[in-house]
Amino acid sequence: MDDFLVRGTLAEVDPDVAELIRHEHARQLDKLIMIASESYVPAAVREAEGSVFQNIYAEGYPHADLHGLAEEQILDYASQLAFYRRNGDRRYYKGVEYCNLIEALAQRRAAEVFCPPGMSPEQIFVNVQALSGAVANTAIYEALVQPGDTVMTLDLLHGGHLSHGSPVNVTGHRQRIVHYRVNEETELLDYEEIYELAQREKPKMIIAGYTSYPWAPDFHKFRAIADSVGAYLLADIAHTAGMAAAGVYPNPVGIAHVTSFTTHKTMMGPRGAVIITTDPELAKRIDRAVFPGMQGGPHMNKIAGMAVMFKLAKTPQFKALQQQIAKNAVALSDGLKANGLRVVHGGTNTHMVLLDCKSIAQHNGVPLMGNVASRILDLMGIVCNRNTIPGDKDAGRPSALRFGTPWVTQRGLKEADMREIADVIALVLKTAKPHTIPTKKSVTYSARVDFDALMEGVARINALVAKAGRDFELPREGYPFVWYATNGHRAADRGRIEVCGAQAAAFLGVVLGADVGDLSDGAEVTVLGRNRAPLCAATLTRIHDGYALDVPADQAPRVTQWLRALSDGYVIFDDANVDVHIPGPVVVK
Ligand code: DSN
């Protein structure tokens, strides 16, 4: 039959996209991902997300009669379909009989996971349609407060979120935002200060829950403060929902008026968000604010993924994982402290650790800053993000790093491994010599580190990566998994290193200390090391897109790494002139 259905696997239909996905997958498995807001979503969840539920429009909500049903009742197809045929449903589109069941299943499982002692899942109202945490929070503002009302949230620079009323976010535009801050000395939430601020400012809503504050808030204290001024309490547990589900972090459901969370962080599910309340009237307002207030059709494939995620969240393995995530974060924090580094807010009882980079290294009065530190760790194989901390004045110039332990814990790493990660971070960042680079308007902060320390860091992180679990093996050939990897050098008399790209001649001009334009093929040259000391003898040959350096085979791996590191720009070439410009980038093969 002639049709226009596109059959075939991704590799057959679009090998380029398939290849790009393999590269991304390799990156995720060949580095240690320590982004606190990320996790490795199980294949079963991704399978549900890639399912034919993707094809469906289902504006509206499941029939109200599905609320409060147990799983077996929701999945009693004969009864549910008979009900649907006779009564229809609340949605605008037909063809949603299975959408209703998958959404009701996700809601029921969420209600069971977050049901506090003394309540039953029927008393929990769950919206699973918000497409992201920011959308969920914006809908909650719509449902709970009026334009011009005061909303009280933690300052973004101290650990709050964009959707907690940042001036650059829509949530900062319609309400009057008042920020509480951490105590200057302890760097901890100070409930007396928060109480006093609430008395003065009379907020209509208070938000507790954070993106870069590593301690669990006391939701009971927050509720008491909210009650004292007649405010709603919103618990935003976007980061910590998985830990709350597992009892490793306080569950605010039943304490806060409304709880929101994203489903792709410690929950390890699809990218999306959930809003929970125990108040049926608020539930109606929230549902209306999400749809039709903020969105049209829900992403039913993600809701299918959420149903799987909530099933996993009920397992003992999930609980054990969340417990280990918390233990690993404490071990990382203790390890950094043991190396003399300053852990911001004094430690952690969540999945997250903040490291003050300013305290690690200074050079000529220039401090190490978060952005360059995160770039250096990425080169080494640890992926994290720059982050503001108390004392920072500008969200664009953060002085800290934020680490999270969900992903590395999923891959089986434990406390001793966290100590090793802390030791390697300290080893490398302590060698940093920060410097500034002038820009049109001011300067950017950069830094260079010791090459040998960086390579030792690369080797030690590679060892942890080799130990860490992978969900499947990827073909190794052709993937530049580790940027400084030099495998492929076989025993030979000479090792050939190719330096290619538009900047190759200028790069070699500095690295060889000679103008390559003046050299003929076969010229004897010297690759310069730190402080321009001779590192290795080589012969130079022009090739079609650059130059080849033939060096003794046993020295080729190290020279390759050195040239790559110089091209990347974060290793010290000249101690007397740390910020010496080395042209690049070049491709070193
Ligand atoms: N951007 C997320 C985070 O990294 O914390 C929050 O939305």
PDB file of all heavy atoms in Angstrom, residues 110-111 113-117 119-120 123-126 219-220 223 235 237 244 250-261 274-279:
ATOM      1  N   ALA A 110       1.752   9.808  41.820  1.00  0.00           N
ATOM      2  CA  ALA A 110       2.355  10.977  42.488  1.00  0.00           C
ATOM      3  C   ALA A 110       1.715  11.174  43.860  1.00  0.00           C
ATOM      4  O   ALA A 110       2.401  11.427  44.855  1.00  0.00           O
ATOM      5  CB  ALA A 110       2.161  12.226  41.632  1.00  0.00           C
ATOM      6  N   ALA A 111       0.387  11.046  43.910  1.00  0.00           N
ATOM      7  CA  ALA A 111      -0.325  11.239  45.176  1.00  0.00           C
ATOM      8  C   ALA A 111       0.134  10.198  46.203  1.00  0.00           C
ATOM      9  O   ALA A 111       0.306  10.510  47.388  1.00  0.00           O
ATOM     10  CB  ALA A 111      -1.833  11.153  44.949  1.00  0.00           C
ATOM     11  N   VAL A 113       3.090   8.662  46.226  1.00  0.00           N
ATOM     12  CA  VAL A 113       4.488   8.914  46.593  1.00  0.00           C
ATOM     13  C   VAL A 113       4.587  10.057  47.600  1.00  0.00           C
ATOM     14  O   VAL A 113       5.382  10.009  48.538  1.00  0.00           O
ATOM     15  CB  VAL A 113       5.326   9.213  45.315  1.00  0.00           C
ATOM     16  CG1 VAL A 113       6.686   9.781  45.674  1.00  0.00           C
ATOM     17  CG2 VAL A 113       5.478   7.941  44.473  1.00  0.00           C
ATOM     18  N   PHE A 114       3.779  11.105  47.399  1.00  0.00           N
ATOM     19  CA  PHE A 114       3.920  12.297  48.245  1.00  0.00           C
ATOM     20  C   PHE A 114       2.860  12.399  49.342  1.00  0.00           C
ATOM     21  O   PHE A 114       2.732  13.434  49.994  1.00  0.00           O
ATOM     22  CB  PHE A 114       3.913  13.560  47.367  1.00  0.00           C
ATOM     23  CG  PHE A 114       5.219  13.747  46.647  1.00  0.00           C
ATOM     24  CD1 PHE A 114       5.385  13.278  45.354  1.00  0.00           C
ATOM     25  CD2 PHE A 114       6.301  14.340  47.278  1.00  0.00           C
ATOM     26  CE1 PHE A 114       6.598  13.410  44.692  1.00  0.00           C
ATOM     27  CE2 PHE A 114       7.519  14.481  46.631  1.00  0.00           C
ATOM     28  CZ  PHE A 114       7.664  14.010  45.326  1.00  0.00           C
ATOM     29  N   CYS A 115       2.118  11.319  49.546  1.00  0.00           N
ATOM     30  CA  CYS A 115       1.077  11.355  50.574  1.00  0.00           C
ATOM     31  C   CYS A 115       1.721  11.356  51.972  1.00  0.00           C
ATOM     32  O   CYS A 115       2.447  10.431  52.315  1.00  0.00           O
ATOM     33  CB  CYS A 115       0.173  10.127  50.420  1.00  0.00           C
ATOM     34  SG  CYS A 115      -1.236  10.198  51.514  1.00  0.00           S
ATOM     35  N   PRO A 116       1.474  12.395  52.777  1.00  0.00           N
ATOM     36  CA  PRO A 116       2.101  12.412  54.106  1.00  0.00           C
ATOM     37  C   PRO A 116       1.349  11.494  55.067  1.00  0.00           C
ATOM     38  O   PRO A 116       0.192  11.144  54.817  1.00  0.00           O
ATOM     39  CB  PRO A 116       1.970  13.882  54.525  1.00  0.00           C
ATOM     40  CG  PRO A 116       0.786  14.386  53.790  1.00  0.00           C
ATOM     41  CD  PRO A 116       0.662  13.591  52.515  1.00  0.00           C
ATOM     42  N   PRO A 117       1.977  11.111  56.172  1.00  0.00           N
ATOM     43  CA  PRO A 117       1.292  10.286  57.158  1.00  0.00           C
ATOM     44  C   PRO A 117       0.007  10.977  57.618  1.00  0.00           C
ATOM     45  O   PRO A 117      -0.035  12.197  57.753  1.00  0.00           O
ATOM     46  CB  PRO A 117       2.296  10.192  58.317  1.00  0.00           C
ATOM     47  CG  PRO A 117       3.609  10.590  57.740  1.00  0.00           C
ATOM     48  CD  PRO A 117       3.335  11.480  56.579  1.00  0.00           C
ATOM     49  N   MET A 119      -2.717  11.209  55.944  1.00  0.00           N
ATOM     50  CA  MET A 119      -3.582  11.574  54.811  1.00  0.00           C
ATOM     51  C   MET A 119      -3.682  10.382  53.868  1.00  0.00           C
ATOM     52  O   MET A 119      -2.876   9.452  53.940  1.00  0.00           O
ATOM     53  CB  MET A 119      -3.012  12.773  54.050  1.00  0.00           C
ATOM     54  CG  MET A 119      -3.041  14.068  54.843  1.00  0.00           C
ATOM     55  SD  MET A 119      -2.632  15.507  53.839  1.00  0.00           S
ATOM     56  CE  MET A 119      -4.243  15.883  53.139  1.00  0.00           C
ATOM     57  N   SER A 120      -4.644  10.430  52.971  1.00  0.00           N
ATOM     58  CA  SER A 120      -4.753   9.365  51.979  1.00  0.00           C
ATOM     59  C   SER A 120      -4.601   9.992  50.592  1.00  0.00           C
ATOM     60  O   SER A 120      -4.844  11.202  50.420  1.00  0.00           O
ATOM     61  CB  SER A 120      -6.093   8.654  52.107  1.00  0.00           C
ATOM     62  OG  SER A 120      -7.114   9.558  51.756  1.00  0.00           O
ATOM     63  N   GLN A 123      -6.845  12.605  49.066  1.00  0.00           N
ATOM     64  CA  GLN A 123      -6.844  13.997  49.534  1.00  0.00           C
ATOM     65  C   GLN A 123      -5.766  14.841  48.851  1.00  0.00           C
ATOM     66  O   GLN A 123      -5.614  16.020  49.158  1.00  0.00           O
ATOM     67  CB  GLN A 123      -6.620  14.030  51.050  1.00  0.00           C
ATOM     68  CG  GLN A 123      -7.748  13.376  51.832  1.00  0.00           C
ATOM     69  CD  GLN A 123      -7.356  13.231  53.296  1.00  0.00           C
ATOM     70  OE1 GLN A 123      -6.653  12.301  53.692  1.00  0.00           O
ATOM     71  NE2 GLN A 123      -7.806  14.167  54.108  1.00  0.00           N
ATOM     72  N   ILE A 124      -5.013  14.211  47.964  1.00  0.00           N
ATOM     73  CA  ILE A 124      -3.898  14.912  47.310  1.00  0.00           C
ATOM     74  C   ILE A 124      -4.320  15.233  45.878  1.00  0.00           C
ATOM     75  O   ILE A 124      -4.725  14.338  45.134  1.00  0.00           O
ATOM     76  CB  ILE A 124      -2.639  14.014  47.258  1.00  0.00           C
ATOM     77  CG1 ILE A 124      -2.395  13.319  48.598  1.00  0.00           C
ATOM     78  CG2 ILE A 124      -1.433  14.771  46.741  1.00  0.00           C
ATOM     79  CD1 ILE A 124      -1.706  14.109  49.625  1.00  0.00           C
ATOM     80  N   PHE A 125      -4.197  16.505  45.489  1.00  0.00           N
ATOM     81  CA  PHE A 125      -4.574  16.927  44.132  1.00  0.00           C
ATOM     82  C   PHE A 125      -3.298  17.237  43.358  1.00  0.00           C
ATOM     83  O   PHE A 125      -2.472  18.041  43.801  1.00  0.00           O
ATOM     84  CB  PHE A 125      -5.489  18.152  44.196  1.00  0.00           C
ATOM     85  CG  PHE A 125      -6.791  17.831  44.873  1.00  0.00           C
ATOM     86  CD1 PHE A 125      -6.903  17.890  46.264  1.00  0.00           C
ATOM     87  CD2 PHE A 125      -7.890  17.419  44.135  1.00  0.00           C
ATOM     88  CE1 PHE A 125      -8.087  17.574  46.897  1.00  0.00           C
ATOM     89  CE2 PHE A 125      -9.088  17.090  44.765  1.00  0.00           C
ATOM     90  CZ  PHE A 125      -9.189  17.166  46.146  1.00  0.00           C
ATOM     91  N   VAL A 126      -3.175  16.586  42.220  1.00  0.00           N
ATOM     92  CA  VAL A 126      -1.907  16.640  41.488  1.00  0.00           C
ATOM     93  C   VAL A 126      -2.147  17.153  40.070  1.00  0.00           C
ATOM     94  O   VAL A 126      -3.009  16.633  39.364  1.00  0.00           O
ATOM     95  CB  VAL A 126      -1.284  15.224  41.396  1.00  0.00           C
ATOM     96  CG1 VAL A 126       0.057  15.281  40.669  1.00  0.00           C
ATOM     97  CG2 VAL A 126      -1.119  14.602  42.781  1.00  0.00           C
ATOM     98  N   PHE A 219       9.887  23.465  56.802  1.00  0.00           N
ATOM     99  CA  PHE A 219       8.611  23.878  56.217  1.00  0.00           C
ATOM    100  C   PHE A 219       7.587  24.230  57.299  1.00  0.00           C
ATOM    101  O   PHE A 219       6.701  25.060  57.078  1.00  0.00           O
ATOM    102  CB  PHE A 219       8.077  22.793  55.279  1.00  0.00           C
ATOM    103  CG  PHE A 219       8.896  22.651  54.020  1.00  0.00           C
ATOM    104  CD1 PHE A 219       9.600  21.487  53.750  1.00  0.00           C
ATOM    105  CD2 PHE A 219       8.973  23.695  53.109  1.00  0.00           C
ATOM    106  CE1 PHE A 219      10.353  21.362  52.595  1.00  0.00           C
ATOM    107  CE2 PHE A 219       9.724  23.583  51.947  1.00  0.00           C
ATOM    108  CZ  PHE A 219      10.415  22.413  51.688  1.00  0.00           C
ATOM    109  N   HIS A 220       7.677  23.586  58.463  1.00  0.00           N
ATOM    110  CA  HIS A 220       6.741  23.928  59.539  1.00  0.00           C
ATOM    111  C   HIS A 220       6.956  25.373  59.983  1.00  0.00           C
ATOM    112  O   HIS A 220       5.999  26.122  60.199  1.00  0.00           O
ATOM    113  CB  HIS A 220       6.914  22.975  60.727  1.00  0.00           C
ATOM    114  CG  HIS A 220       6.346  21.606  60.463  1.00  0.00           C
ATOM    115  ND1 HIS A 220       4.998  21.369  60.406  1.00  0.00           N
ATOM    116  CD2 HIS A 220       6.958  20.416  60.220  1.00  0.00           C
ATOM    117  CE1 HIS A 220       4.781  20.081  60.152  1.00  0.00           C
ATOM    118  NE2 HIS A 220       5.959  19.479  60.029  1.00  0.00           N
ATOM    119  N   ARG A 223       5.579  27.620  57.396  1.00  0.00           N
ATOM    120  CA  ARG A 223       4.105  27.670  57.412  1.00  0.00           C
ATOM    121  C   ARG A 223       3.623  28.564  58.557  1.00  0.00           C
ATOM    122  O   ARG A 223       2.671  29.341  58.383  1.00  0.00           O
ATOM    123  CB  ARG A 223       3.535  26.248  57.546  1.00  0.00           C
ATOM    124  CG  ARG A 223       2.028  26.184  57.671  1.00  0.00           C
ATOM    125  CD  ARG A 223       1.325  26.670  56.397  1.00  0.00           C
ATOM    126  NE  ARG A 223      -0.076  26.935  56.623  1.00  0.00           N
ATOM    127  CZ  ARG A 223      -1.083  26.228  56.103  1.00  0.00           C
ATOM    128  NH1 ARG A 223      -0.833  25.224  55.285  1.00  0.00           N
ATOM    129  NH2 ARG A 223      -2.324  26.533  56.376  1.00  0.00           N
ATOM    130  N   ALA A 235       5.978  25.622  48.543  1.00  0.00           N
ATOM    131  CA  ALA A 235       7.240  24.871  48.684  1.00  0.00           C
ATOM    132  C   ALA A 235       7.689  24.477  47.285  1.00  0.00           C
ATOM    133  O   ALA A 235       7.000  23.735  46.596  1.00  0.00           O
ATOM    134  CB  ALA A 235       7.013  23.639  49.550  1.00  0.00           C
ATOM    135  N   ILE A 237      10.161  22.400  45.579  1.00  0.00           N
ATOM    136  CA  ILE A 237      11.174  21.357  45.812  1.00  0.00           C
ATOM    137  C   ILE A 237      11.657  20.791  44.463  1.00  0.00           C
ATOM    138  O   ILE A 237      11.906  19.597  44.330  1.00  0.00           O
ATOM    139  CB  ILE A 237      10.666  20.234  46.748  1.00  0.00           C
ATOM    140  CG1 ILE A 237       9.351  19.605  46.243  1.00  0.00           C
ATOM    141  CG2 ILE A 237      10.500  20.777  48.157  1.00  0.00           C
ATOM    142  CD1 ILE A 237       8.980  18.307  46.977  1.00  0.00           C
ATOM    143  N   ALA A 244      12.692  14.040  48.727  1.00  0.00           N
ATOM    144  CA  ALA A 244      11.469  14.113  49.548  1.00  0.00           C
ATOM    145  C   ALA A 244      10.645  12.844  49.359  1.00  0.00           C
ATOM    146  O   ALA A 244      10.091  12.299  50.324  1.00  0.00           O
ATOM    147  CB  ALA A 244      10.660  15.353  49.168  1.00  0.00           C
ATOM    148  N   PRO A 250      12.573  16.714  53.861  1.00  0.00           N
ATOM    149  CA  PRO A 250      11.198  16.843  54.357  1.00  0.00           C
ATOM    150  C   PRO A 250      10.174  16.973  53.222  1.00  0.00           C
ATOM    151  O   PRO A 250      10.404  17.713  52.272  1.00  0.00           O
ATOM    152  CB  PRO A 250      11.239  18.119  55.207  1.00  0.00           C
ATOM    153  CG  PRO A 250      12.503  18.817  54.842  1.00  0.00           C
ATOM    154  CD  PRO A 250      13.461  17.791  54.333  1.00  0.00           C
ATOM    155  N   ASN A 251       9.092  16.248  53.358  1.00  0.00           N
ATOM    156  CA  ASN A 251       8.014  16.320  52.367  1.00  0.00           C
ATOM    157  C   ASN A 251       7.075  17.458  52.767  1.00  0.00           C
ATOM    158  O   ASN A 251       6.412  17.388  53.800  1.00  0.00           O
ATOM    159  CB  ASN A 251       7.260  14.983  52.366  1.00  0.00           C
ATOM    160  CG  ASN A 251       6.061  15.003  51.442  1.00  0.00           C
ATOM    161  OD1 ASN A 251       5.910  15.907  50.624  1.00  0.00           O
ATOM    162  ND2 ASN A 251       5.197  14.003  51.569  1.00  0.00           N
ATOM    163  N   PRO A 252       7.002  18.516  51.951  1.00  0.00           N
ATOM    164  CA  PRO A 252       6.161  19.661  52.344  1.00  0.00           C
ATOM    165  C   PRO A 252       4.675  19.459  52.072  1.00  0.00           C
ATOM    166  O   PRO A 252       3.861  20.294  52.489  1.00  0.00           O
ATOM    167  CB  PRO A 252       6.703  20.808  51.478  1.00  0.00           C
ATOM    168  CG  PRO A 252       7.338  20.155  50.297  1.00  0.00           C
ATOM    169  CD  PRO A 252       7.745  18.766  50.695  1.00  0.00           C
ATOM    170  N   VAL A 253       4.317  18.370  51.374  1.00  0.00           N
ATOM    171  CA  VAL A 253       2.897  18.169  51.039  1.00  0.00           C
ATOM    172  C   VAL A 253       2.120  17.975  52.350  1.00  0.00           C
ATOM    173  O   VAL A 253       2.497  17.164  53.195  1.00  0.00           O
ATOM    174  CB  VAL A 253       2.717  16.963  50.095  1.00  0.00           C
ATOM    175  CG1 VAL A 253       1.229  16.659  49.880  1.00  0.00           C
ATOM    176  CG2 VAL A 253       3.408  17.243  48.765  1.00  0.00           C
ATOM    177  N   GLY A 254       1.067  18.762  52.486  1.00  0.00           N
ATOM    178  CA  GLY A 254       0.293  18.735  53.738  1.00  0.00           C
ATOM    179  C   GLY A 254       0.746  19.811  54.706  1.00  0.00           C
ATOM    180  O   GLY A 254       0.048  20.100  55.681  1.00  0.00           O
ATOM    181  N   ILE A 255       1.911  20.403  54.464  1.00  0.00           N
ATOM    182  CA  ILE A 255       2.379  21.532  55.293  1.00  0.00           C
ATOM    183  C   ILE A 255       2.213  22.827  54.497  1.00  0.00           C
ATOM    184  O   ILE A 255       1.544  23.750  54.926  1.00  0.00           O
ATOM    185  CB  ILE A 255       3.857  21.342  55.719  1.00  0.00           C
ATOM    186  CG1 ILE A 255       4.063  20.006  56.423  1.00  0.00           C
ATOM    187  CG2 ILE A 255       4.311  22.515  56.590  1.00  0.00           C
ATOM    188  CD1 ILE A 255       5.515  19.625  56.622  1.00  0.00           C
ATOM    189  N   ALA A 256       2.851  22.853  53.331  1.00  0.00           N
ATOM    190  CA  ALA A 256       2.705  24.028  52.456  1.00  0.00           C
ATOM    191  C   ALA A 256       1.323  24.002  51.808  1.00  0.00           C
ATOM    192  O   ALA A 256       0.730  22.933  51.634  1.00  0.00           O
ATOM    193  CB  ALA A 256       3.782  24.011  51.380  1.00  0.00           C
ATOM    194  N   HIS A 257       0.827  25.189  51.447  1.00  0.00           N
ATOM    195  CA  HIS A 257      -0.449  25.225  50.717  1.00  0.00           C
ATOM    196  C   HIS A 257      -0.284  24.552  49.352  1.00  0.00           C
ATOM    197  O   HIS A 257      -1.176  23.847  48.888  1.00  0.00           O
ATOM    198  CB  HIS A 257      -0.921  26.671  50.515  1.00  0.00           C
ATOM    199  CG  HIS A 257      -1.235  27.378  51.798  1.00  0.00           C
ATOM    200  ND1 HIS A 257      -0.295  28.114  52.485  1.00  0.00           N
ATOM    201  CD2 HIS A 257      -2.384  27.424  52.525  1.00  0.00           C
ATOM    202  CE1 HIS A 257      -0.849  28.617  53.579  1.00  0.00           C
ATOM    203  NE2 HIS A 257      -2.118  28.205  53.635  1.00  0.00           N
ATOM    204  N   VAL A 258       0.842  24.833  48.728  1.00  0.00           N
ATOM    205  CA  VAL A 258       1.103  24.282  47.397  1.00  0.00           C
ATOM    206  C   VAL A 258       2.563  23.843  47.339  1.00  0.00           C
ATOM    207  O   VAL A 258       3.446  24.493  47.906  1.00  0.00           O
ATOM    208  CB  VAL A 258       0.841  25.345  46.296  1.00  0.00           C
ATOM    209  CG1 VAL A 258       1.137  24.778  44.910  1.00  0.00           C
ATOM    210  CG2 VAL A 258      -0.596  25.859  46.364  1.00  0.00           C
ATOM    211  N   THR A 259       2.792  22.726  46.659  1.00  0.00           N
ATOM    212  CA  THR A 259       4.157  22.239  46.436  1.00  0.00           C
ATOM    213  C   THR A 259       4.371  22.110  44.931  1.00  0.00           C
ATOM    214  O   THR A 259       3.493  21.594  44.227  1.00  0.00           O
ATOM    215  CB  THR A 259       4.345  20.853  47.094  1.00  0.00           C
ATOM    216  OG1 THR A 259       4.166  20.995  48.511  1.00  0.00           O
ATOM    217  CG2 THR A 259       5.730  20.279  46.811  1.00  0.00           C
ATOM    218  N   SER A 260       5.518  22.593  44.452  1.00  0.00           N
ATOM    219  CA  SER A 260       5.830  22.401  43.032  1.00  0.00           C
ATOM    220  C   SER A 260       7.180  21.716  42.924  1.00  0.00           C
ATOM    221  O   SER A 260       8.037  21.849  43.807  1.00  0.00           O
ATOM    222  CB  SER A 260       5.865  23.747  42.293  1.00  0.00           C
ATOM    223  OG  SER A 260       6.971  24.515  42.715  1.00  0.00           O
ATOM    224  N   PHE A 261       7.334  20.961  41.859  1.00  0.00           N
ATOM    225  CA  PHE A 261       8.673  20.399  41.590  1.00  0.00           C
ATOM    226  C   PHE A 261       8.814  20.024  40.130  1.00  0.00           C
ATOM    227  O   PHE A 261       7.820  19.811  39.431  1.00  0.00           O
ATOM    228  CB  PHE A 261       8.990  19.194  42.498  1.00  0.00           C
ATOM    229  CG  PHE A 261       8.038  18.028  42.417  1.00  0.00           C
ATOM    230  CD1 PHE A 261       8.231  17.021  41.488  1.00  0.00           C
ATOM    231  CD2 PHE A 261       6.986  17.913  43.316  1.00  0.00           C
ATOM    232  CE1 PHE A 261       7.385  15.924  41.443  1.00  0.00           C
ATOM    233  CE2 PHE A 261       6.125  16.823  43.271  1.00  0.00           C
ATOM    234  CZ  PHE A 261       6.316  15.815  42.332  1.00  0.00           C
ATOM    235  N   VAL A 274       5.356  19.170  38.324  1.00  0.00           N
ATOM    236  CA  VAL A 274       4.161  18.709  39.035  1.00  0.00           C
ATOM    237  C   VAL A 274       3.801  19.777  40.067  1.00  0.00           C
ATOM    238  O   VAL A 274       4.688  20.401  40.667  1.00  0.00           O
ATOM    239  CB  VAL A 274       4.452  17.349  39.720  1.00  0.00           C
ATOM    240  CG1 VAL A 274       3.345  16.972  40.685  1.00  0.00           C
ATOM    241  CG2 VAL A 274       4.648  16.252  38.673  1.00  0.00           C
ATOM    242  N   ILE A 275       2.509  19.986  40.228  1.00  0.00           N
ATOM    243  CA  ILE A 275       2.025  20.893  41.283  1.00  0.00           C
ATOM    244  C   ILE A 275       1.076  20.087  42.155  1.00  0.00           C
ATOM    245  O   ILE A 275       0.179  19.406  41.642  1.00  0.00           O
ATOM    246  CB  ILE A 275       1.276  22.106  40.695  1.00  0.00           C
ATOM    247  CG1 ILE A 275       2.155  22.834  39.659  1.00  0.00           C
ATOM    248  CG2 ILE A 275       0.843  23.063  41.803  1.00  0.00           C
ATOM    249  CD1 ILE A 275       1.418  23.918  38.880  1.00  0.00           C
ATOM    250  N   ILE A 276       1.285  20.153  43.466  1.00  0.00           N
ATOM    251  CA  ILE A 276       0.458  19.378  44.387  1.00  0.00           C
ATOM    252  C   ILE A 276      -0.138  20.309  45.437  1.00  0.00           C
ATOM    253  O   ILE A 276       0.538  21.196  45.956  1.00  0.00           O
ATOM    254  CB  ILE A 276       1.298  18.284  45.097  1.00  0.00           C
ATOM    255  CG1 ILE A 276       1.856  17.291  44.072  1.00  0.00           C
ATOM    256  CG2 ILE A 276       0.453  17.550  46.145  1.00  0.00           C
ATOM    257  CD1 ILE A 276       2.646  16.142  44.672  1.00  0.00           C
ATOM    258  N   THR A 277      -1.397  20.080  45.734  1.00  0.00           N
ATOM    259  CA  THR A 277      -2.026  20.764  46.869  1.00  0.00           C
ATOM    260  C   THR A 277      -2.994  19.789  47.536  1.00  0.00           C
ATOM    261  O   THR A 277      -3.441  18.817  46.905  1.00  0.00           O
ATOM    262  CB  THR A 277      -2.768  22.053  46.434  1.00  0.00           C
ATOM    263  OG1 THR A 277      -3.348  22.676  47.586  1.00  0.00           O
ATOM    264  CG2 THR A 277      -3.857  21.758  45.424  1.00  0.00           C
ATOM    265  N   THR A 278      -3.289  20.068  48.793  1.00  0.00           N
ATOM    266  CA  THR A 278      -4.285  19.245  49.487  1.00  0.00           C
ATOM    267  C   THR A 278      -5.603  20.007  49.606  1.00  0.00           C
ATOM    268  O   THR A 278      -6.537  19.522  50.244  1.00  0.00           O
ATOM    269  CB  THR A 278      -3.769  18.870  50.897  1.00  0.00           C
ATOM    270  OG1 THR A 278      -3.354  20.070  51.554  1.00  0.00           O
ATOM    271  CG2 THR A 278      -2.601  17.907  50.814  1.00  0.00           C
ATOM    272  N   ASP A 279      -5.659  21.189  48.991  1.00  0.00           N
ATOM    273  CA  ASP A 279      -6.850  22.032  49.083  1.00  0.00           C
ATOM    274  C   ASP A 279      -7.609  21.942  47.759  1.00  0.00           C
ATOM    275  O   ASP A 279      -7.127  22.416  46.728  1.00  0.00           O
ATOM    276  CB  ASP A 279      -6.388  23.472  49.366  1.00  0.00           C
ATOM    277  CG  ASP A 279      -7.551  24.445  49.459  1.00  0.00           C
ATOM    278  OD1 ASP A 279      -8.588  24.205  48.805  1.00  0.00           O
ATOM    279  OD2 ASP A 279      -7.402  25.456  50.163  1.00  0.00           O
TER     280      ASP A 279
END
